[in-house]
Amino acid sequence: MRSRAAPWSLLGLAVLLALPWLLPQLLPQGQAQFWTASILGRAIVFGIIAMSLTFLATYGGFVSLAQMMIAGIAGYTLAIFVEGAVPRVVGLLGYGVAIPLALLAATAMGILVGAISLRSRDIYLLMITLALGMGVFRFIETNIAWFNGYEGIRNVVGPSLFGLDFRNALVFYHAALGTAALLYFGILYLVKTPFGLVLQGIRDNPRRVAALGYAVGLHRIAAFGVAGFIAGCGGVLSTIYNIGISPGSIGLGATVNILIMSVIGGLGHPIGAFIGSLIFTVLDTFAATIYDRDRFNTLIGLAFLAIVLVSPDGAIGVGARLRRLLTAQPRPASRVCGEVRSRPPSTRTAKEEPP
């Protein structure tokens, strides 16, 4: 499945690039803009954060519940240092400097999370990363001087790109899509490099990789740093999308949502993060129409159970199974009318051997 991922990914990217221009031909202008900004754009942003978790799970073999918190670190760093945010905390930098600083902060936090959780595995890794995420969330929630407590920081409107307002739905959509594409294909390249191959070896058998002379711990920490950078890109875009950031955006609910997106889409490939985020966003947006807005958790829970029970690999697993069914070659008919039915050679008796 992974060897065939690149052509399908390019086809999907082409479709996503064309969608904002195709939707106005199919829907009224208001609905087309709503789908572009509030559904597709939002799904891409949260798909980037979910992809940071999927990267660790797919190629490193460990699941981190701190990715939403790391994205929040990037968002808060941007909001604190950028000019024009309300309330002003530092506010001395333009977006051209504040955004790289935010990505650097997220990468550093990812490395720190990796170093703290270096010796943990499985459920213990989940718990320690969740504890780190919730600890940072509580600290931000109660800190007024730097993070403005419960209210958060507002008016983070984003930069201008080539003279175009970043608040424009098409501009933001294409900027988010371009960022997602670069990160996605960057991951596909990275996992084929020596670093990526060693990381996959650590996933399969860390003792054997250590016996070959590789530093298992350093590779794990570096993987968390890469995942932190990816989550930071999503955190910056999410902050601009929401025109600010508050503690609720990195709380327990947001953390669990990122995990649900990753599992629904499938942890077997980075593309699953975007599939899962799109499913989640559609259900979240139309929950009131489909069932009941107050019962959204029930609705997403039922969708989660249905997908996981049908395919433990998530939505990409369902797609792979359908493709195998459609491309499966029919078996040749068994010979009858006095001829011997074909069997594997190991199951034939002496009387059935051909003369």
Short mmCIF file of all heavy atoms in Angstrom, two decimals, residues 253-303:
data_model
loop_
_atom_site.label_atom_id
_atom_site.label_comp_id
_atom_site.label_asym_id
_atom_site.label_seq_id
_atom_site.Cartn_x
_atom_site.Cartn_y
_atom_site.Cartn_z
N GLY A 253 -10.16 17.67 25.84
CA GLY A 253 -11.05 17.40 24.72
C GLY A 253 -10.34 17.51 23.39
O GLY A 253 -10.48 16.64 22.51
N ALA A 254 -9.55 18.57 23.20
CA ALA A 254 -8.81 18.75 21.95
C ALA A 254 -7.76 17.66 21.77
O ALA A 254 -7.53 17.18 20.65
CB ALA A 254 -8.14 20.13 21.94
N THR A 255 -7.13 17.24 22.87
CA THR A 255 -6.13 16.17 22.80
C THR A 255 -6.75 14.86 22.35
O THR A 255 -6.22 14.16 21.48
CB THR A 255 -5.47 16.00 24.17
OG1 THR A 255 -4.80 17.21 24.54
CG2 THR A 255 -4.46 14.86 24.15
N VAL A 256 -7.89 14.52 22.92
CA VAL A 256 -8.58 13.29 22.55
C VAL A 256 -9.07 13.36 21.10
O VAL A 256 -9.03 12.37 20.36
CB VAL A 256 -9.74 13.01 23.52
CG1 VAL A 256 -10.58 11.82 23.03
CG2 VAL A 256 -9.20 12.74 24.91
N ASN A 257 -9.52 14.55 20.67
CA ASN A 257 -9.99 14.69 19.29
C ASN A 257 -8.89 14.38 18.28
O ASN A 257 -9.14 13.74 17.25
CB ASN A 257 -10.51 16.11 19.07
CG ASN A 257 -11.83 16.36 19.77
OD1 ASN A 257 -12.52 15.43 20.19
ND2 ASN A 257 -12.19 17.62 19.92
N ILE A 258 -7.67 14.82 18.55
CA ILE A 258 -6.56 14.54 17.65
C ILE A 258 -6.29 13.04 17.59
O ILE A 258 -6.04 12.47 16.52
CB ILE A 258 -5.29 15.30 18.10
CG1 ILE A 258 -5.48 16.80 17.93
CG2 ILE A 258 -4.07 14.83 17.32
CD1 ILE A 258 -5.71 17.24 16.50
N LEU A 259 -6.37 12.37 18.73
CA LEU A 259 -6.19 10.92 18.75
C LEU A 259 -7.29 10.23 17.95
O LEU A 259 -7.02 9.29 17.18
CB LEU A 259 -6.18 10.41 20.19
CG LEU A 259 -6.05 8.89 20.38
CD1 LEU A 259 -4.72 8.41 19.82
CD2 LEU A 259 -6.19 8.52 21.85
N ILE A 260 -8.53 10.68 18.11
CA ILE A 260 -9.65 10.08 17.37
C ILE A 260 -9.46 10.27 15.86
O ILE A 260 -9.68 9.33 15.07
CB ILE A 260 -10.98 10.71 17.83
CG1 ILE A 260 -11.30 10.26 19.26
CG2 ILE A 260 -12.12 10.32 16.90
CD1 ILE A 260 -12.51 10.94 19.85
N MET A 261 -9.05 11.46 15.44
CA MET A 261 -8.82 11.69 14.02
C MET A 261 -7.78 10.72 13.47
O MET A 261 -7.95 10.14 12.39
CB MET A 261 -8.33 13.12 13.80
CG MET A 261 -9.34 14.20 14.08
SD MET A 261 -8.58 15.84 13.89
CE MET A 261 -9.79 16.87 14.73
N SER A 262 -6.70 10.53 14.22
CA SER A 262 -5.62 9.66 13.75
C SER A 262 -6.08 8.21 13.64
O SER A 262 -5.77 7.53 12.66
CB SER A 262 -4.42 9.76 14.70
OG SER A 262 -3.96 11.09 14.80
N VAL A 263 -6.83 7.75 14.64
CA VAL A 263 -7.27 6.35 14.64
C VAL A 263 -8.34 6.11 13.58
O VAL A 263 -8.34 5.09 12.89
CB VAL A 263 -7.77 5.94 16.03
CG1 VAL A 263 -8.34 4.52 16.02
CG2 VAL A 263 -6.64 6.04 17.05
N ILE A 264 -9.27 7.06 13.44
CA ILE A 264 -10.32 6.91 12.43
C ILE A 264 -9.71 6.85 11.02
O ILE A 264 -10.08 6.02 10.19
CB ILE A 264 -11.34 8.07 12.51
CG1 ILE A 264 -12.25 7.89 13.73
CG2 ILE A 264 -12.19 8.14 11.24
CD1 ILE A 264 -13.26 8.99 13.90
N GLY A 265 -8.77 7.74 10.76
CA GLY A 265 -8.14 7.75 9.44
C GLY A 265 -7.26 6.55 9.22
O GLY A 265 -7.21 6.01 8.12
N GLY A 266 -6.57 6.12 10.26
CA GLY A 266 -5.67 4.98 10.16
C GLY A 266 -4.24 5.36 10.49
O GLY A 266 -3.71 6.34 9.96
N LEU A 267 -3.63 4.58 11.38
CA LEU A 267 -2.26 4.86 11.81
C LEU A 267 -1.23 4.18 10.92
O LEU A 267 -0.05 4.20 11.25
CB LEU A 267 -2.08 4.40 13.27
CG LEU A 267 -2.87 5.19 14.31
CD1 LEU A 267 -2.73 4.53 15.68
CD2 LEU A 267 -2.41 6.64 14.38
N GLY A 268 -1.66 3.59 9.82
CA GLY A 268 -0.72 2.88 8.96
C GLY A 268 -0.01 3.75 7.96
O GLY A 268 0.96 3.31 7.34
N HIS A 269 -0.47 5.00 7.77
CA HIS A 269 0.14 5.87 6.77
C HIS A 269 -0.22 7.32 7.12
O HIS A 269 -1.31 7.58 7.61
CB HIS A 269 -0.37 5.52 5.38
CG HIS A 269 0.43 6.14 4.27
ND1 HIS A 269 0.20 7.41 3.81
CD2 HIS A 269 1.47 5.65 3.54
CE1 HIS A 269 1.06 7.69 2.84
NE2 HIS A 269 1.83 6.65 2.65
N PRO A 270 0.68 8.28 6.86
CA PRO A 270 0.38 9.68 7.20
C PRO A 270 -0.88 10.24 6.56
O PRO A 270 -1.50 11.15 7.11
CB PRO A 270 1.63 10.43 6.71
CG PRO A 270 2.72 9.42 6.76
CD PRO A 270 2.09 8.11 6.41
N ILE A 271 -1.28 9.73 5.41
CA ILE A 271 -2.48 10.25 4.75
C ILE A 271 -3.72 10.00 5.59
O ILE A 271 -4.73 10.70 5.48
CB ILE A 271 -2.65 9.63 3.34
CG1 ILE A 271 -3.62 10.45 2.49
CG2 ILE A 271 -3.11 8.18 3.44
CD1 ILE A 271 -3.16 11.83 2.17
N GLY A 272 -3.66 8.98 6.47
CA GLY A 272 -4.79 8.68 7.32
C GLY A 272 -5.17 9.83 8.24
O GLY A 272 -6.34 9.98 8.60
N ALA A 273 -4.19 10.66 8.61
CA ALA A 273 -4.48 11.79 9.49
C ALA A 273 -5.45 12.76 8.82
O ALA A 273 -6.38 13.28 9.46
CB ALA A 273 -3.19 12.51 9.86
N PHE A 274 -5.28 13.01 7.53
CA PHE A 274 -6.15 13.95 6.82
C PHE A 274 -7.52 13.34 6.54
O PHE A 274 -8.54 14.04 6.59
CB PHE A 274 -5.48 14.40 5.53
CG PHE A 274 -4.21 15.16 5.75
CD1 PHE A 274 -2.99 14.55 5.61
CD2 PHE A 274 -4.25 16.49 6.13
CE1 PHE A 274 -1.81 15.24 5.82
CE2 PHE A 274 -3.08 17.20 6.35
CZ PHE A 274 -1.86 16.57 6.20
N ILE A 275 -7.55 12.05 6.26
CA ILE A 275 -8.84 11.38 6.06
C ILE A 275 -9.64 11.42 7.36
O ILE A 275 -10.84 11.74 7.37
CB ILE A 275 -8.63 9.94 5.59
CG1 ILE A 275 -7.94 9.93 4.23
CG2 ILE A 275 -9.96 9.20 5.50
CD1 ILE A 275 -7.55 8.55 3.74
N GLY A 276 -8.99 11.10 8.47
CA GLY A 276 -9.66 11.13 9.76
C GLY A 276 -10.12 12.51 10.16
O GLY A 276 -11.22 12.68 10.69
N SER A 277 -9.29 13.52 9.90
CA SER A 277 -9.68 14.89 10.26
C SER A 277 -10.85 15.37 9.42
O SER A 277 -11.71 16.11 9.90
CB SER A 277 -8.49 15.84 10.10
OG SER A 277 -8.10 15.93 8.75
N LEU A 278 -10.91 14.94 8.15
CA LEU A 278 -12.04 15.33 7.30
C LEU A 278 -13.33 14.67 7.80
O LEU A 278 -14.37 15.35 7.89
CB LEU A 278 -11.76 14.93 5.85
CG LEU A 278 -12.88 15.25 4.85
CD1 LEU A 278 -13.15 16.76 4.82
CD2 LEU A 278 -12.51 14.75 3.46
N ILE A 279 -13.28 13.39 8.13
CA ILE A 279 -14.46 12.71 8.67
C ILE A 279 -14.91 13.38 9.96
O ILE A 279 -16.11 13.66 10.17
CB ILE A 279 -14.16 11.22 8.90
CG1 ILE A 279 -13.88 10.51 7.57
CG2 ILE A 279 -15.31 10.54 9.64
CD1 ILE A 279 -13.40 9.09 7.73
N PHE A 280 -13.97 13.67 10.84
CA PHE A 280 -14.29 14.30 12.12
C PHE A 280 -14.89 15.68 11.92
O PHE A 280 -15.89 16.04 12.56
CB PHE A 280 -13.02 14.39 12.97
CG PHE A 280 -13.24 14.93 14.36
CD1 PHE A 280 -13.43 14.06 15.41
CD2 PHE A 280 -13.25 16.29 14.61
CE1 PHE A 280 -13.64 14.54 16.70
CE2 PHE A 280 -13.46 16.78 15.88
CZ PHE A 280 -13.65 15.90 16.93
N THR A 281 -14.31 16.47 11.01
CA THR A 281 -14.79 17.83 10.78
C THR A 281 -16.20 17.83 10.19
O THR A 281 -17.04 18.65 10.58
CB THR A 281 -13.83 18.58 9.85
OG1 THR A 281 -12.52 18.58 10.43
CG2 THR A 281 -14.28 20.01 9.64
N VAL A 282 -16.47 16.94 9.25
CA VAL A 282 -17.81 16.86 8.66
C VAL A 282 -18.83 16.49 9.73
O VAL A 282 -19.91 17.10 9.82
CB VAL A 282 -17.82 15.85 7.50
CG1 VAL A 282 -19.26 15.56 7.06
CG2 VAL A 282 -17.01 16.38 6.33
N LEU A 283 -18.51 15.49 10.57
CA LEU A 283 -19.44 15.10 11.62
C LEU A 283 -19.63 16.23 12.63
O LEU A 283 -20.74 16.48 13.11
CB LEU A 283 -18.94 13.84 12.32
CG LEU A 283 -18.97 12.55 11.49
CD1 LEU A 283 -18.35 11.40 12.27
CD2 LEU A 283 -20.40 12.20 11.09
N ASP A 284 -18.55 16.91 12.97
CA ASP A 284 -18.63 18.01 13.92
C ASP A 284 -19.47 19.16 13.37
O ASP A 284 -20.25 19.78 14.09
CB ASP A 284 -17.22 18.50 14.25
CG ASP A 284 -17.21 19.58 15.31
OD1 ASP A 284 -18.08 19.54 16.20
OD2 ASP A 284 -16.34 20.46 15.26
N THR A 285 -19.33 19.44 12.08
CA THR A 285 -20.05 20.56 11.47
C THR A 285 -21.53 20.27 11.31
O THR A 285 -22.38 21.14 11.57
CB THR A 285 -19.44 20.88 10.10
OG1 THR A 285 -18.04 21.16 10.26
CG2 THR A 285 -20.13 22.09 9.47
N PHE A 286 -21.86 19.05 10.92
CA PHE A 286 -23.26 18.72 10.61
C PHE A 286 -23.90 17.83 11.66
O PHE A 286 -24.90 17.16 11.38
CB PHE A 286 -23.33 18.04 9.23
CG PHE A 286 -22.87 18.90 8.11
CD1 PHE A 286 -21.64 18.67 7.51
CD2 PHE A 286 -23.63 19.97 7.67
CE1 PHE A 286 -21.20 19.47 6.47
CE2 PHE A 286 -23.20 20.78 6.63
CZ PHE A 286 -21.98 20.54 6.03
N ALA A 287 -23.34 17.83 12.87
CA ALA A 287 -23.91 16.98 13.93
C ALA A 287 -25.35 17.35 14.23
O ALA A 287 -26.20 16.48 14.46
CB ALA A 287 -23.06 17.08 15.20
N ALA A 288 -25.64 18.65 14.25
CA ALA A 288 -27.00 19.09 14.56
C ALA A 288 -27.99 18.62 13.50
O ALA A 288 -29.14 18.29 13.80
CB ALA A 288 -27.05 20.61 14.66
N THR A 289 -27.55 18.57 12.24
CA THR A 289 -28.42 18.11 11.16
C THR A 289 -28.56 16.60 11.16
O THR A 289 -29.65 16.05 10.95
CB THR A 289 -27.88 18.59 9.81
OG1 THR A 289 -27.73 20.01 9.85
CG2 THR A 289 -28.81 18.21 8.68
N ILE A 290 -27.43 15.90 11.39
CA ILE A 290 -27.45 14.44 11.34
C ILE A 290 -28.17 13.85 12.53
O ILE A 290 -28.99 12.93 12.40
CB ILE A 290 -26.00 13.91 11.27
CG1 ILE A 290 -25.32 14.42 9.99
CG2 ILE A 290 -25.97 12.40 11.30
CD1 ILE A 290 -23.85 14.10 9.92
N TYR A 291 -27.90 14.37 13.73
CA TYR A 291 -28.45 13.76 14.93
C TYR A 291 -28.87 14.83 15.92
O TYR A 291 -30.00 15.27 15.95
CB TYR A 291 -27.41 12.80 15.52
CG TYR A 291 -27.87 12.03 16.74
CD1 TYR A 291 -29.16 11.53 16.83
CD2 TYR A 291 -27.00 11.79 17.80
CE1 TYR A 291 -29.58 10.82 17.94
CE2 TYR A 291 -27.39 11.08 18.91
CZ TYR A 291 -28.69 10.60 18.98
OH TYR A 291 -29.10 9.90 20.08
N ASP A 292 -27.92 15.30 16.73
CA ASP A 292 -28.20 16.32 17.74
C ASP A 292 -26.87 16.93 18.14
O ASP A 292 -25.92 16.21 18.45
CB ASP A 292 -28.89 15.69 18.94
CG ASP A 292 -29.26 16.73 20.00
OD1 ASP A 292 -28.95 17.92 19.78
OD2 ASP A 292 -29.84 16.36 21.03
N ARG A 293 -26.80 18.26 18.12
CA ARG A 293 -25.54 18.93 18.45
C ARG A 293 -25.05 18.55 19.83
O ARG A 293 -23.84 18.39 20.04
CB ARG A 293 -25.75 20.45 18.36
CG ARG A 293 -24.50 21.25 18.65
CD ARG A 293 -23.45 21.00 17.60
NE ARG A 293 -22.10 21.16 18.12
CZ ARG A 293 -21.01 20.89 17.43
NH1 ARG A 293 -21.10 20.42 16.22
NH2 ARG A 293 -19.83 21.07 17.95
N ASP A 294 -25.94 18.40 20.78
CA ASP A 294 -25.53 18.06 22.14
C ASP A 294 -25.08 16.61 22.25
O ASP A 294 -24.55 16.21 23.29
CB ASP A 294 -26.69 18.31 23.11
CG ASP A 294 -27.05 19.79 23.20
OD1 ASP A 294 -26.13 20.62 22.97
OD2 ASP A 294 -28.21 20.11 23.48
N ARG A 295 -25.32 15.81 21.21
CA ARG A 295 -24.93 14.40 21.22
C ARG A 295 -23.79 14.14 20.25
O ARG A 295 -23.66 13.04 19.73
CB ARG A 295 -26.14 13.54 20.84
CG ARG A 295 -27.32 13.67 21.77
CD ARG A 295 -27.02 13.14 23.14
NE ARG A 295 -28.18 13.22 24.02
CZ ARG A 295 -28.18 12.82 25.29
NH1 ARG A 295 -27.06 12.36 25.82
NH2 ARG A 295 -29.26 12.92 26.03
N PHE A 296 -22.95 15.14 20.03
CA PHE A 296 -21.87 14.97 19.08
C PHE A 296 -20.92 13.86 19.52
O PHE A 296 -20.46 13.06 18.69
CB PHE A 296 -21.08 16.28 18.91
CG PHE A 296 -19.78 16.09 18.19
CD1 PHE A 296 -19.76 15.82 16.83
CD2 PHE A 296 -18.57 16.16 18.87
CE1 PHE A 296 -18.56 15.63 16.16
CE2 PHE A 296 -17.37 15.98 18.21
CZ PHE A 296 -17.37 15.71 16.85
N ASN A 297 -20.60 13.79 20.80
CA ASN A 297 -19.69 12.75 21.27
C ASN A 297 -20.25 11.35 21.01
O ASN A 297 -19.51 10.42 20.69
CB ASN A 297 -19.41 12.93 22.77
CG ASN A 297 -18.55 14.14 23.04
OD1 ASN A 297 -17.75 14.55 22.21
ND2 ASN A 297 -18.70 14.75 24.22
N THR A 298 -21.58 11.22 21.15
CA THR A 298 -22.20 9.93 20.82
C THR A 298 -22.05 9.62 19.34
O THR A 298 -21.73 8.49 18.95
CB THR A 298 -23.70 9.96 21.19
OG1 THR A 298 -23.83 10.26 22.58
CG2 THR A 298 -24.35 8.62 20.89
N LEU A 299 -22.26 10.63 18.50
CA LEU A 299 -22.17 10.44 17.06
C LEU A 299 -20.76 10.07 16.63
O LEU A 299 -20.56 9.10 15.88
CB LEU A 299 -22.62 11.72 16.35
CG LEU A 299 -22.70 11.67 14.82
CD1 LEU A 299 -23.72 10.64 14.38
CD2 LEU A 299 -23.05 13.05 14.27
N ILE A 300 -19.76 10.80 17.11
CA ILE A 300 -18.39 10.50 16.72
C ILE A 300 -17.95 9.18 17.33
O ILE A 300 -17.15 8.44 16.73
CB ILE A 300 -17.44 11.66 17.13
CG1 ILE A 300 -16.07 11.49 16.44
CG2 ILE A 300 -17.25 11.72 18.63
CD1 ILE A 300 -16.11 11.61 14.95
N GLY A 301 -18.48 8.83 18.51
CA GLY A 301 -18.17 7.54 19.10
C GLY A 301 -18.70 6.39 18.27
O GLY A 301 -18.02 5.37 18.08
N LEU A 302 -19.93 6.53 17.76
CA LEU A 302 -20.51 5.49 16.91
C LEU A 302 -19.71 5.35 15.60
O LEU A 302 -19.46 4.24 15.14
CB LEU A 302 -21.97 5.81 16.61
CG LEU A 302 -22.95 5.71 17.79
CD1 LEU A 302 -24.33 6.20 17.38
CD2 LEU A 302 -23.02 4.27 18.30
N ALA A 303 -19.32 6.49 15.01
CA ALA A 303 -18.52 6.44 13.79
C ALA A 303 -17.15 5.79 14.07
O ALA A 303 -16.66 4.99 13.26
CB ALA A 303 -18.33 7.85 13.24
#
